[in-house]
Amino acid sequence: MTTIDKTPVPVAAALPASERPPQEIKRERARAKRKALGAIPSAILIIGSLYCFIPLFWLVSASTKGRETLFTTNTFIPDGIDGFFRNVAQLGNYQDGAFWTWMGNSVIYAGGGAALSVLVSAAFGYGLAMYEFRGKQVAFGLVLTGMLLPGVVVAIPQYLLMAQLELTNTYFAILFPVMVSPFGMWLCRVFAASSVPRELLDAGRVDGASEFRIFSAIGLRLMAPGLLTVFLLQFVGIWNNFLLPFIMLSDNTKYPLSLGLYSMMRGSDTEEAIIPTLVISGSLVATIPLIIIFIWLQKYMRINFGGGLKG
Amino acid sequence: MSQPVLEQAGPARTRRSLAPGRAPAGPGRPKKGRHRLAPYLFIAPGITLFTLFLLIPIGYSVYLSFFSNKVSSGIIGASERASVFVGFDNFAAILEGSVFWSGLARAGYYGLLVIPITLGLALVFALALDVGVSKLRTVSKTIIFIPYAVPGVIATLMWGYMYHERTSPFGDIFTFFGFPTPDFLGDSLVFYSIVNIAVWGGIGFNMIILHTALSGIPREIYEAARIDGASELRIAIQVKLPLVVPSMIFTLLFGVIGAVQVYAEPQTMKTMSPSITSGWVPLMEIQRLAFEQGETNMAAAGAIIIALIAFGLSLLVFRLAGKKGSGD
């Protein structure tokens, strides 16, 4: 450990005060120390990055391995790009192209579900943040409670409800439940309150715009960066959701990627020699779209929770 | 586009438009009347969906947990299935078995490990990011965030193959140093192997939340401390840390709720490790009861128990937060 000098004052006082004011000496010492300590945060970040990155590098490397080399060579050393394409081609042949169907399904569930839920949440958050009305606290309390609710409590009855409506095994079995996101609704309220000034709404009213027009023209525009965050969170949440599709879907062709890969893994007891290479390369292909979206949208991700609990 | 003209025709409108400035102290009443309905229309879709897909299912869950499907032979001879109120029988039944309890204990221990490690590392990385801006920091922020984008199932499959003796890249490393390769998927280690997957996937999200909170703090606060000669470490602990407590509470809350309902990782790991038994965590047991055993009512009771635990822990966190909040 670097020693942290807590009392620099006596040292500074020992020097002739006329030549160097103690303030300046103190500042200089602090600057020097900061320089020396500056390496520590960088070292921490490098270690963290390695921990997060190495498994992904392994995934890339292992997905280039064929069924022989996967078990015989070190999986940290990639085989070559053609190995990866060979695996992807095999992946495409798995159960008549089931993998790409799953990919398409995931896009529908995550893209469609996130878009719908953002619309619902935006209107809700805006309504809650911009108006005073009877029942406001109740609505806010409901959403807060919903946020704390584990998904499992609703999963079983949701299934029974969907079964009653004969909607299990359809796209709606996933799209309906994911449309309501208490967390998204709550975040939208926070974003609306912090980014849409009420005076602007009054100005719009003076100009004679309808409340809905003010929402769509002013509210949505100002909330846009926040809505992007909600969309991203919802997209990832749905893309990664496992329990809901696991419960709702039994038809292979309706599966999203996570459930598809899981089913592939489950079947691997019988065809052990070939499947691992497919599961590994499938995992990589399934992750790439999300990583691209993330890197692209990351700069918009700003989730501030400070003081967001007040209604 | 004729609408605004029509609205202007109203006397209230005209008066307001003519009034200088916004004049909220003036006759503001007519404005209220005009959009009394608007907020309800805005929240209507959300509330409707909330009711349909959350409230009603919860109510149904509670109902199920207190009833049981009894098959009774009717007078005519044909057997009938009827819902019978059984009080707390379902709760008693699920709590009688040892599986649910051991699952709960495991999930509790899982949370006790995953939450502090994940949040601790997330905080350290967020503080390290906050020291200043550099290329290294921008890149590492992205890299540490990326695992959050990897679905739990896929993260488990990926790590699972890295743990698996036949495909593990670590085997060579252990052999090189003369150690036996540990059996990451065996009885004694598989639990910690799953903890590692959860930590790996969870750091990034929490780091972003905490870093956002940190970057919202005005720089002048640190400058004052720096001029007084405080080290970066002291600034981090004594100035920055207390300021991110509200955000920490939230990450803690999400951590607790996540731990209580851990599911995808162990369920997927079960396909790779025989050490994962059925009902390994509460959710696996609930899922098994509902969809493999047909014990919907018992499963509902289990789900209610999990929800109550989640609520209890959340309240505890809020309580703690309240105490912390009143401190400063």
Side-chain angles (χ1 to χ4, degrees):
Chain A
M1 270 305 295
T2 324
T3 46
I4 297 159
D5 194 354
K6 281 183 186 135
T7 50
V9 186
V11 185
L15 291 160
S18 56
E19 283 179 35
R20 310 177 79 197
Q23 270 295 338
E24 195 182 298
I25 295 170
K26 238 193 281 175
R27 219 171 294 162
E28 208 164 87
R29 285 172 57 101
R31 209 174 297 139
K33 210 181 290 166
R34 213 172 305 136
K35 217 172 213 172
L37 282 169
I40 294 176
S42 302
I44 290 173
L45 289 174
I46 290 171
I47 293 169
S49 303
L50 286 176
Y51 171 58
C52 292
F53 182 69
I54 286 174
L56 292 170
F57 172 76
W58 178 86
L59 189 64
V60 172
S61 167
S63 66
T64 63
K65 303 273 176 182
R67 64 172 104 166
E68 298 86 18
T69 51
L70 182 65
F71 300 115
T72 51
T73 60
N74 188 311
T75 39
F76 265 138
I77 301 153
D79 266 9
I81 193 81
D82 46 323
F84 171 70
F85 289 123
R86 209 166 30 239
N87 283 332
V88 172
Q90 278 183 13
L91 195 63
N93 291 331
Y94 178 79
Q95 291 188 358
D96 303 322
F99 182 83
W100 298 114
T101 310
W102 299 334
M103 178 76 100
N105 290 341
S106 274
V107 171
I108 293 171
Y109 294 136
L116 290 170
S117 105
V118 164
L119 279 181
V120 172
S121 305
F124 181 89
Y126 176 87
L128 216 58
M130 292 298 129
Y131 298 92
E132 300 302 328
F133 59 97
R134 193 186 286 266
K136 179 175 163 154
Q137 290 304 323
V138 177
F140 188 61
L142 269 181
V143 168
L144 267 190
T145 318
M147 268 169 68
L148 304 179
L149 199 77
V152 60
V153 193
V154 288
I156 297 165
Q158 269 177 357
Y159 170 80
L160 297 170
L161 189 83
M162 288 295 175
Q164 285 287 318
L165 300 170
E166 294 185 3
L167 285 177
T168 51
N169 246 333
T170 66
Y171 287 108
F172 297 112
I174 308 297
L175 285 175
F176 280 153
V178 299
M179 265 169 80
V180 47
S181 153
F183 182 47
M185 291 157 96
W186 176 82
L187 268 182
C188 281
R189 196 207 68 91
V190 175
F191 287 131
S194 64
S195 60
V196 187
R198 285 197 191 194
E199 298 81 53
L200 217 56
L201 308 192
D202 283 336
R205 281 175 198 133
V206 170
D207 289 345
S210 71
E211 295 298 315
F212 181 76
R213 215 183 120 60
I214 293 173
F215 167 64
S216 57
I218 302 173
L220 280 184
R221 190 153 305 161
L222 292 176
M223 286 165 73
L227 297 183
L228 206 59
T229 301
V230 177
F231 179 84
L232 193 60
L233 288 175
Q234 274 294 95
F235 189 92
V236 175
I238 302 167
W239 189 279
N240 296 359
N241 195 334
F242 177 65
L243 185 66
L244 190 69
F246 189 60
I247 286 177
M248 292 287 181
L249 309 172
S250 53
D251 175 3
N252 194 324
T253 60
K254 298 286 190 333
Y255 282 3
L257 274 171
S258 54
L259 189 54
L261 284 167
Y262 172 80
S263 74
M264 225 167 145
M265 194 61 208
R266 239 188 176 177
S268 68
D269 306 334
T270 45
E271 305 164 67
E272 205 195 319
I274 183 164
I275 297 287
T277 59
L278 294 194
V279 173
I280 289 172
S281 45
S283 296
L284 178 66
V285 176
T287 311
I288 289 172
L290 273 193
I291 291 181
I292 291 172
I293 291 179
F294 256 63
I295 294 176
W296 174 41
L297 292 181
Q298 190 214 16
K299 55 177 175 286
Y300 301 107
M301 279 286 270
R302 292 183 69 82
I303 313 158
N304 203 345
F305 287 124
L309 273 183
K310 287 162 204 104
Chain B
M1 279 284 115
S2 63
Q3 204 178 353
V5 183
L6 280 174
E7 293 222 24
Q8 291 283 4
R13 282 281 85 215
T14 322
R15 184 138 49 105
R16 271 187 56 78
S17 308
L18 289 175
R22 241 148 262 135
R29 286 286 108 190
K31 174 184 111 188
K32 270 252 152 65
R34 193 166 80 97
H35 54 83
R36 194 181 289 152
L37 207 63
Y40 296 104
L41 291 177
F42 281 123
I43 68 167
I47 290 291
T48 311
L49 288 167
F50 192 93
T51 309
L52 270 178
F53 294 106
L54 284 176
L55 278 188
I56 291 177
I58 293 164
Y60 195 36
S61 245
V62 174
Y63 163 81
L64 282 173
S65 68
F66 286 108
F67 282 80
S68 188
N69 260 329
K70 291 267 160 66
V71 181
S72 56
S73 46
I75 308 164
I76 321 157
S79 63
E80 282 174 21
R81 286 164 63 94
S83 260
V84 183
F85 182 77
V86 293
F88 285 95
D89 281 8
N90 292 317
F91 292 88
I94 196 166
L95 291 175
E96 247 166 40
S98 61
V99 179
F100 195 71
W101 281 109
S102 62
L104 273 180
R106 202 172 279 118
Y109 185 36
Y110 168 88
L112 281 179
L113 284 180
V114 170
I115 297 170
I117 297 176
T118 309
L119 293 192
L121 287 175
L123 181 65
V124 168
F125 293 147
L127 287 170
L129 280 177
D130 195 55
V131 170
V133 181
S134 73
K135 191 86 193 152
L136 173 83
R137 301 215 166 87
T138 326
V139 172
S140 47
K141 186 180 171 190
T142 306
I143 290 176
I144 297 172
F145 189 39
I146 282 176
Y148 172 63
V150 181
V153 170
I154 289 172
T156 309
L157 291 174
M158 180 184 81
W159 278 100
Y161 278 114
M162 290 178 77
Y163 293 144
H164 201 281
E165 48 170 354
R166 291 185 65 198
T167 44
S168 179
F170 304 126
D172 292 351
I173 301 169
F174 278 99
T175 319
F176 181 80
F177 287 106
F179 291 109
T181 309
D183 183 6
F184 293 111
L185 298 176
D187 277 340
S188 55
L189 282 184
V190 72
F191 178 84
Y192 300 98
S193 300
I194 292 181
V195 165
N196 174 54
I197 298 173
V199 169
W200 181 80
I203 292 174
F205 179 68
N206 292 296
M207 180 192 72
I208 292 286
I209 290 176
L210 297 176
H211 185 238
T212 307
L214 281 173
S215 43
I217 301 170
R219 295 275 133 186
E220 297 84 67
I221 294 179
Y222 320 138
E223 280 311 316
R226 273 187 197 133
I227 286 167
D228 285 349
S231 70
E232 287 299 324
L233 190 66
R234 272 190 69 190
I235 294 176
I237 293 171
Q238 295 189 340
V239 183
K240 294 182 180 177
L241 209 54
L243 290 170
V244 294
V245 165
S247 299
M248 289 283 283
I249 301 291
F250 260 94
T251 54
L252 183 63
L253 212 58
F254 287 129
V256 167
I257 297 166
V260 169
Q261 51 177 344
V262 52
Y263 181 73
E265 290 83 2
Q267 181 71 38
T268 309
M269 196 52 107
K270 195 167 180 285
T271 63
M272 306 183 100
S273 165
S275 302
I276 308 274
T277 49
S278 56
W280 203 72
V281 285
L283 239 69
M284 284 170 72
E285 177 65 3
I286 291 170
Q287 191 272 333
R288 191 184 68 89
L289 281 171
F291 298 101
E292 286 170 34
Q293 306 283 88
E295 294 276 6
T296 316
N297 302 84
M298 236 166 103
I304 299 284
I305 293 172
I306 293 296
L308 289 177
I309 292 173
F311 264 117
L313 289 173
S314 309
L315 285 181
L316 202 72
V317 172
F318 276 128
R319 254 275 185 51
L320 249 98
K323 256 184 207 143
K324 272 267 158 62
S326 60
D328 49 44

mmCIF file of all heavy atoms in Angstrom, chain A residues 243-258:
data_model
loop_
_atom_site.group_PDB
_atom_site.id
_atom_site.type_symbol
_atom_site.label_atom_id
_atom_site.label_comp_id
_atom_site.label_asym_id
_atom_site.label_seq_id
_atom_site.Cartn_x
_atom_site.Cartn_y
_atom_site.Cartn_z
ATOM 1 N N LEU A 243 -37.677 -18.129 -18.484
ATOM 2 C CA LEU A 243 -38.803 -18.758 -17.788
ATOM 3 C C LEU A 243 -40.104 -18.649 -18.582
ATOM 4 O O LEU A 243 -40.814 -19.639 -18.764
ATOM 5 C CB LEU A 243 -38.967 -18.126 -16.402
ATOM 6 C CG LEU A 243 -40.030 -18.746 -15.504
ATOM 7 C CD1 LEU A 243 -39.660 -20.163 -15.125
ATOM 8 C CD2 LEU A 243 -40.235 -17.910 -14.245
ATOM 9 N N LEU A 244 -40.404 -17.444 -19.051
ATOM 10 C CA LEU A 244 -41.685 -17.225 -19.740
ATOM 11 C C LEU A 244 -41.840 -18.112 -20.984
ATOM 12 O O LEU A 244 -42.815 -18.863 -21.086
ATOM 13 C CB LEU A 244 -41.857 -15.742 -20.076
ATOM 14 C CG LEU A 244 -43.223 -15.326 -20.582
ATOM 15 C CD1 LEU A 244 -44.266 -15.425 -19.487
ATOM 16 C CD2 LEU A 244 -43.197 -13.903 -21.132
ATOM 17 N N PRO A 245 -40.892 -18.064 -21.927
ATOM 18 C CA PRO A 245 -41.040 -18.961 -23.079
ATOM 19 C C PRO A 245 -40.986 -20.435 -22.691
ATOM 20 O O PRO A 245 -41.682 -21.259 -23.292
ATOM 21 C CB PRO A 245 -39.861 -18.596 -23.995
ATOM 22 C CG PRO A 245 -38.967 -17.740 -23.203
ATOM 23 C CD PRO A 245 -39.771 -17.132 -22.100
ATOM 24 N N PHE A 246 -40.205 -20.736 -21.679
ATOM 25 C CA PHE A 246 -40.090 -22.125 -21.229
ATOM 26 C C PHE A 246 -41.448 -22.654 -20.791
ATOM 27 O O PHE A 246 -41.811 -23.806 -21.046
ATOM 28 C CB PHE A 246 -39.083 -22.176 -20.065
ATOM 29 C CG PHE A 246 -38.700 -23.560 -19.622
ATOM 30 C CD1 PHE A 246 -38.098 -24.448 -20.497
ATOM 31 C CD2 PHE A 246 -38.916 -23.970 -18.318
ATOM 32 C CE1 PHE A 246 -37.732 -25.712 -20.090
ATOM 33 C CE2 PHE A 246 -38.544 -25.239 -17.898
ATOM 34 C CZ PHE A 246 -37.964 -26.116 -18.783
ATOM 35 N N ILE A 247 -42.217 -21.787 -20.129
ATOM 36 C CA ILE A 247 -43.528 -22.185 -19.637
ATOM 37 C C ILE A 247 -44.578 -22.145 -20.759
ATOM 38 O O ILE A 247 -45.390 -23.045 -20.894
ATOM 39 C CB ILE A 247 -43.951 -21.246 -18.478
ATOM 40 C CG1 ILE A 247 -43.159 -21.590 -17.223
ATOM 41 C CG2 ILE A 247 -45.436 -21.327 -18.213
ATOM 42 C CD1 ILE A 247 -43.443 -20.673 -16.057
ATOM 43 N N MET A 248 -44.509 -21.088 -21.581
ATOM 44 C CA MET A 248 -45.593 -20.830 -22.529
ATOM 45 C C MET A 248 -45.510 -21.670 -23.811
ATOM 46 O O MET A 248 -46.529 -21.931 -24.437
ATOM 47 C CB MET A 248 -45.592 -19.350 -22.941
ATOM 48 C CG MET A 248 -45.964 -18.399 -21.834
ATOM 49 S SD MET A 248 -47.707 -18.471 -21.481
ATOM 50 C CE MET A 248 -47.842 -17.240 -20.195
ATOM 51 N N LEU A 249 -44.302 -22.012 -24.234
ATOM 52 C CA LEU A 249 -44.146 -22.577 -25.572
ATOM 53 C C LEU A 249 -43.719 -24.042 -25.526
ATOM 54 O O LEU A 249 -42.843 -24.416 -24.756
ATOM 55 C CB LEU A 249 -43.104 -21.783 -26.363
ATOM 56 C CG LEU A 249 -43.291 -20.262 -26.412
ATOM 57 C CD1 LEU A 249 -42.085 -19.623 -27.062
ATOM 58 C CD2 LEU A 249 -44.560 -19.904 -27.161
ATOM 59 N N SER A 250 -44.368 -24.844 -26.350
ATOM 60 C CA SER A 250 -43.900 -26.216 -26.484
ATOM 61 C C SER A 250 -43.568 -26.527 -27.945
ATOM 62 O O SER A 250 -42.983 -27.544 -28.252
ATOM 63 C CB SER A 250 -44.962 -27.185 -25.966
ATOM 64 O OG SER A 250 -46.189 -26.921 -26.593
ATOM 65 N N ASP A 251 -43.967 -25.625 -28.833
ATOM 66 C CA ASP A 251 -43.721 -25.813 -30.261
ATOM 67 C C ASP A 251 -42.350 -25.236 -30.624
ATOM 68 O O ASP A 251 -42.117 -24.027 -30.517
ATOM 69 C CB ASP A 251 -44.854 -25.113 -31.042
ATOM 70 C CG ASP A 251 -44.621 -25.144 -32.533
ATOM 71 O OD1 ASP A 251 -43.619 -25.760 -32.964
ATOM 72 O OD2 ASP A 251 -45.439 -24.550 -33.255
ATOM 73 N N ASN A 252 -41.485 -26.132 -31.023
ATOM 74 C CA ASN A 252 -40.112 -25.818 -31.407
ATOM 75 C C ASN A 252 -39.971 -24.587 -32.305
ATOM 76 O O ASN A 252 -39.048 -23.792 -32.160
ATOM 77 C CB ASN A 252 -39.582 -27.064 -32.123
ATOM 78 C CG ASN A 252 -38.096 -27.053 -32.280
ATOM 79 O OD1 ASN A 252 -37.538 -26.001 -32.499
ATOM 80 N ND2 ASN A 252 -37.474 -28.196 -32.157
ATOM 81 N N THR A 253 -40.925 -24.406 -33.234
ATOM 82 C CA THR A 253 -40.791 -23.327 -34.212
ATOM 83 C C THR A 253 -41.149 -21.960 -33.626
ATOM 84 O O THR A 253 -40.956 -20.943 -34.279
ATOM 85 C CB THR A 253 -41.701 -23.558 -35.435
ATOM 86 O OG1 THR A 253 -43.057 -23.609 -34.968
ATOM 87 C CG2 THR A 253 -41.371 -24.859 -36.119
ATOM 88 N N LYS A 254 -41.676 -21.929 -32.399
ATOM 89 C CA LYS A 254 -41.999 -20.651 -31.763
ATOM 90 C C LYS A 254 -40.923 -20.231 -30.759
ATOM 91 O O LYS A 254 -40.988 -19.150 -30.196
ATOM 92 C CB LYS A 254 -43.354 -20.764 -31.022
ATOM 93 C CG LYS A 254 -44.538 -21.074 -31.912
ATOM 94 C CD LYS A 254 -44.912 -19.853 -32.711
ATOM 95 C CE LYS A 254 -46.231 -19.952 -33.457
ATOM 96 N NZ LYS A 254 -46.699 -21.245 -33.840
ATOM 97 N N TYR A 255 -39.951 -21.115 -30.545
ATOM 98 C CA TYR A 255 -38.924 -20.857 -29.526
ATOM 99 C C TYR A 255 -38.111 -19.602 -29.835
ATOM 100 O O TYR A 255 -37.780 -19.344 -30.997
ATOM 101 C CB TYR A 255 -37.924 -22.019 -29.462
ATOM 102 C CG TYR A 255 -38.395 -23.243 -28.736
ATOM 103 C CD1 TYR A 255 -39.666 -23.332 -28.211
ATOM 104 C CD2 TYR A 255 -37.535 -24.329 -28.579
ATOM 105 C CE1 TYR A 255 -40.082 -24.485 -27.554
ATOM 106 C CE2 TYR A 255 -37.941 -25.472 -27.916
ATOM 107 C CZ TYR A 255 -39.225 -25.546 -27.409
ATOM 108 O OH TYR A 255 -39.619 -26.676 -26.761
ATOM 109 N N PRO A 256 -37.741 -18.853 -28.793
ATOM 110 C CA PRO A 256 -36.664 -17.869 -28.969
ATOM 111 C C PRO A 256 -35.308 -18.573 -28.816
ATOM 112 O O PRO A 256 -35.256 -19.762 -28.474
ATOM 113 C CB PRO A 256 -36.893 -16.893 -27.809
ATOM 114 C CG PRO A 256 -37.515 -17.723 -26.743
ATOM 115 C CD PRO A 256 -38.309 -18.800 -27.444
ATOM 116 N N LEU A 257 -34.240 -17.831 -29.056
ATOM 117 C CA LEU A 257 -32.902 -18.434 -29.064
ATOM 118 C C LEU A 257 -32.541 -19.140 -27.764
ATOM 119 O O LEU A 257 -32.035 -20.260 -27.786
ATOM 120 C CB LEU A 257 -31.862 -17.346 -29.337
ATOM 121 C CG LEU A 257 -31.610 -17.057 -30.803
ATOM 122 C CD1 LEU A 257 -30.737 -15.819 -30.932
ATOM 123 C CD2 LEU A 257 -30.922 -18.241 -31.471
ATOM 124 N N SER A 258 -32.802 -18.451 -26.626
ATOM 125 C CA SER A 258 -32.343 -19.038 -25.367
ATOM 126 C C SER A 258 -32.990 -20.404 -25.146
ATOM 127 O O SER A 258 -32.316 -21.371 -24.785
ATOM 128 C CB SER A 258 -32.646 -18.098 -24.200
ATOM 129 O OG SER A 258 -34.011 -17.761 -24.183
#
